[in-house]
Structures are given as structure tokens and as C-alpha cells.
């Protein structure tokens, strides 16, 4: 069935791809043309159902996906003004993420591909975050340095080509988004923690002394967030024990700077080491206004071109899966109908 489609993929530059994403608490579907142009980008989130538990409950997320997936897909096709017959392929996130949640998207995409005789393109969620920067940016081409900062991953990557990456540095323990979510809990802020810490930090001062991690260590491109998180927990705990009042806004502001300044420093020095003049970024944490602003300042002084996806394309969405799906499609990377979901994937 697939063989005929495979033969002509290289010529299908304007391929229309339906992308499906269900790796965490967002059920999303998008139609993307030529890997860069978003025709539709629909999303339904079960986030509010997880708030009282302080984090995503996998079973609740999976059930929400099952009710949302066909609605979201239909909406994506309708908004794009296309039908299944117009598509070149269906791309789906197969990992990394919550297994039960991923399975909903993978099973749905497989059924659609089979029923409509379309090739199925397997997409890594991590690569999707990196590919988000291609959307609406026709001039962006590798090589460039990419900062990946999400709830599950933190890395600085040298993107050599559309399909080849080299890890320049990465976290040795927690991801930066994970640290935001954990610190938010300590400050009694709701899940997801990142946006709430950012809001609180606006009225705070960077007055709390926190570990600098590998900041200033020019030879080390790695990150570590576990000690920073523990330092915040210890600070608030010690203040509470000793009856010393503290301003949560100051803690949020100090933490945000400690967590993000090091990302900016390592990203721009990676560009120097790799002699590239272009930087991009992706992942939920890149929606953070302070990080975006600091990256812009650092790139401007070094005459580096910076490509940041708009905020809704930093957090989980299906358009980014369409962007990466297109790259995989053009390289002839297709999945058979025994494609399975994977909780973790290699970069
Ligand atoms: O990329 P994403 O939507 O999902 C993963 O693939 O993990 O990232 C979610 C993470 C969460 O940890 C969330 O707290 C964080 O991104 N995040 C932020 C902001 N918005 C989302 N962190 C800091 N500032 C934000 N504005
Ligand atoms: Zn993500």
C-alpha cells in the first residue's frame, strides 16, 4: 500500500500533513503545509482537571485524550479547509511522554492512516519542539544552535542539518521546567508552575542567594537543576522553622534568574564554540518572558540572529509535530502499522 507513495516523496515540497499530538495533557491536531505553513492548529487541554493533584495524572490525561481526539482532528481539518483526501501523510507523536496518553494519539493516527490509505510518519516530541522554530520562518536553515527547554528536557544542541544533531550540553538531573513546577509547589502556586512563577517574579527582587550551578564555567555546557530546587526548598523551610518572614515574589524572582541565566549563557557560548551566528529555541520554558528577553539581549550584543517560536508554539502543540513530520516525510521515514508508543526516546 505504501510503496507507491514512498517513490514520489522527494518531490512533494508542499506536502500537506495532518499532525497529531497527545504526549501529555494536551490533545492537539494541526494541518501544516510544506513543513512551515500552519493551516490550522487546534488544541484541547485537560490541564484544569489536574490542578487539584498538583501535576498531570496519567489516567485522567489518557481518558481526556480519548474524548477529545476526534473532535480536535475534525476541527483541524475543517479550519484548514481540507479533507483526508487532500493530505500527503499523517504524522503522530510516538514518544517521549506518558505511555497511555501517547497510545491514544498513536492508535488514532494509525487507524486514520489505514482507513485513508495515507503514510504514517512517526515523530519524536523532542524533535518537534526543536522544529517549532521552522514554522513561519522560511529563512531559517541549519546549521544553528538550539536551546531545548521543556518539562522533560533541557539541552543545548548543535543542529547540523534538518536531521542531525549534536548535544553540546544537557541537564545531568532534572529538566528546567520540572524545577519550575517543583518550586511552584513549594510556593503554593498551581500547576503548571512555570507561568505562575513568571507572574509572581515580576513583583519580586533577586535577593535570595541561590546556587549558580555551572554558570561561569566556560568548559562545561551541562546543567543541573536538582540542587537549585533543593536550595529553594531549604530556604523556605528554614525561614518557616525560624519564623522569619520571606517574600515569595523574591524567591520566585531569584529562582527564575538562577534557572534561566545559565541557559542563556551556555546557549550563546555554544554558538561561539560552534562558530554559528544563528540561535533558535523551543519547549514550554521558552514561553517565559524573562528568558526570551535575556536571549534577545545576549544575541543582539553578539550580532547573532535569534528565532523564537511564538509562545503558543513553545508549549505542546501539534503544528510543531507537523513541522518535524514534514522533515521525516521528506526523508522517507515512515512507520508501519505496528508503530508503538514509547515513554522515552533518544534525541
Ligand atoms: O514543552 P512543554 O509544554 O511540555 C513538555 O514537553 O514538557 O513544557 C512544559 C513545561 C512545564 O514544566 C511548565 O511549567 C513550563 O514548561 N513552562 C514555563 C512557562 N510556561 C510553561 N516555564 C517557565 N515560564 C513559563 N512561562
Ligand atoms: Zn513538550
Amino acid at each position: 500500500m505504501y510503496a507507491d507513495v514512498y517513490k514520489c516523496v522527494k518531490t512533494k515540497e508542499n506536502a500537506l500533513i495532518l499532525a497529531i499530538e497527545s504526549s501529555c495533557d494536551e490533545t492537539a491536531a494541526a494541518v501544516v503545509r510544506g513543513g512551515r505553513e500552519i493551516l490550522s492548529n487546534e488544541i484541547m487541554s485537560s490541564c484544569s482537571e489536574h490542578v487539584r493533584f498538583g501535576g498531570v495524572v496519567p489516567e485522567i490525561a489518557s481518558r481526556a485524550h480519548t474524548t477529545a481526539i476526534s473532535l480536535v482532528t475534525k476541527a483541524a481539518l475543517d479550519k484548514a479547509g481540507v479533507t483526508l483526501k487532500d493530505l500527503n501523510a499523517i504524522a503522530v507523536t510516538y514518544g517521549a511522554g506518558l505511555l497511555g496518553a501517547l497510545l491514544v494519539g498513536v492508535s488514532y493516527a494509525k487507524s486514520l492512516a489505514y482507513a485513508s490509505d495515507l503514510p504514517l510518519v512517526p515523530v519524536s516530541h523532542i524533535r518537534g519542539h526543536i522544529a517549532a522554530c521552522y514554522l513561519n520562518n522560511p529563512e531559517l536553515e541549519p546549521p544553528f544552535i538550539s536551546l531545548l527547554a521543556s518539562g522533560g528536557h533541557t539541552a543545548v544542541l548543535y543542529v547540523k542539518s534538518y536531521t542531525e544533531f549534536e548535544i553540546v550540553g544537557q541537564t545531568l538531573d532534572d529538566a528546567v521546567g520540572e524545577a519550575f513546577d517543583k518550586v511552584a509547589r513549594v510556593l503554593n502556586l498551581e500547576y503548571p508552575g512555570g507561568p505562575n512563577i513568571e507572574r509572581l517574579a515580576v513583583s519580586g527582587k533577586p535577593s535570595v542567594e541561590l546556587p549558580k550551578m555551572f554558570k561561569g564555567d566556560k568548559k562545561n555546557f551541562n546543567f543541573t537543576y536538582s540542587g537549585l530546587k533543593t536550595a529553594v526548598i531549604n530556604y523556605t523551610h528554614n525561614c518557616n522553622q525560624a519564623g522569619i518572614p520571606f517574600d515569595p515574589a523574591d524567591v520566585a524572582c531569584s529562582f527564575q534568574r538562577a534557572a534561566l541565566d545559565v541557559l542563556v549563557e551556555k546557549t550563546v557560548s555554544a554558538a561561539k564554540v560552534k562558530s554559528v551566528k544563528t540561535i533558535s529555541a523551543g519547549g514550554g520554558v521558552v514561553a517565559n518572558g524573562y528568558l526570551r528577553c535575556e536571549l534577545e539581549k545576549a544575541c543582539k550584543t553578539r550580532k547573532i540572529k535569534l528565532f523564537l517560536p511564538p509562545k503558543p508554539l513553545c508549549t505542546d502543540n501539534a503544528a510543531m509535530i507537523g513541522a518535524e513530520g514534514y522533515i521525516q516525510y521528506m526523508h522517507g521515514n515512515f512507520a508501519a502499522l505496528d508503530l508503538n508508543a514509547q515513554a522515552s526516546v533518544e534525541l
Side-chain angles (χ1 to χ4, degrees), residues 125 129 150 316 320:
H125 182 84
H129 274 305
S150 70
D316 289 350
M320 70 182 197

Side-chain angles (χ1 to χ4, degrees), residues 23-24 26 96 125 129 149-153 176-181 191-198 256 260 282-289 311 314-317 320:
S23 65
C24 193
E26 263 94 29
H125 182 84
H129 274 305
S150 70
H153 298 88
V176 58
E178 200 182 341
F180 266 89
D181 294 335
Y191 171 84
N196 290 324
I197 290 206
E198 182 181 358
Q256 179 169 267
L260 302 181
V285 179
V286 181
N288 184 284
K311 292 182 185 184
C314 292
T315 44
D316 289 350
N317 65 89
M320 70 182 197

Side-chain angles (χ1 to χ4, degrees), residues 199-268:
R199 264 188 290 276
L200 184 60
V202 172
S203 56
K205 298 177 293 301
S207 54
V208 182
E209 190 85 20
L210 291 171
K212 296 214 170 355
M213 305 176 285
F214 299 129
K215 192 158 177 280
D217 180 349
K218 297 230 178 312
K219 294 206 181 85
N220 194 340
F221 286 90
N222 289 327
F223 307 98
T224 166
Y225 283 99
S226 162
L228 176 62
K229 169 198 70 188
T230 308
V232 175
I233 294 170
N234 288 346
Y235 175 81
T236 53
H237 180 76
N238 292 342
C239 286
N240 288 335
Q241 290 258 306
I244 303 167
F246 67 89
D247 185 349
D250 290 348
V251 179
C253 177
S254 308
F255 164 76
Q256 179 169 267
R257 288 194 185 207
L260 302 181
D261 287 350
V262 66
L263 290 179
V264 178
E265 180 192 282
K266 304 286 176 204
T267 305
V268 294

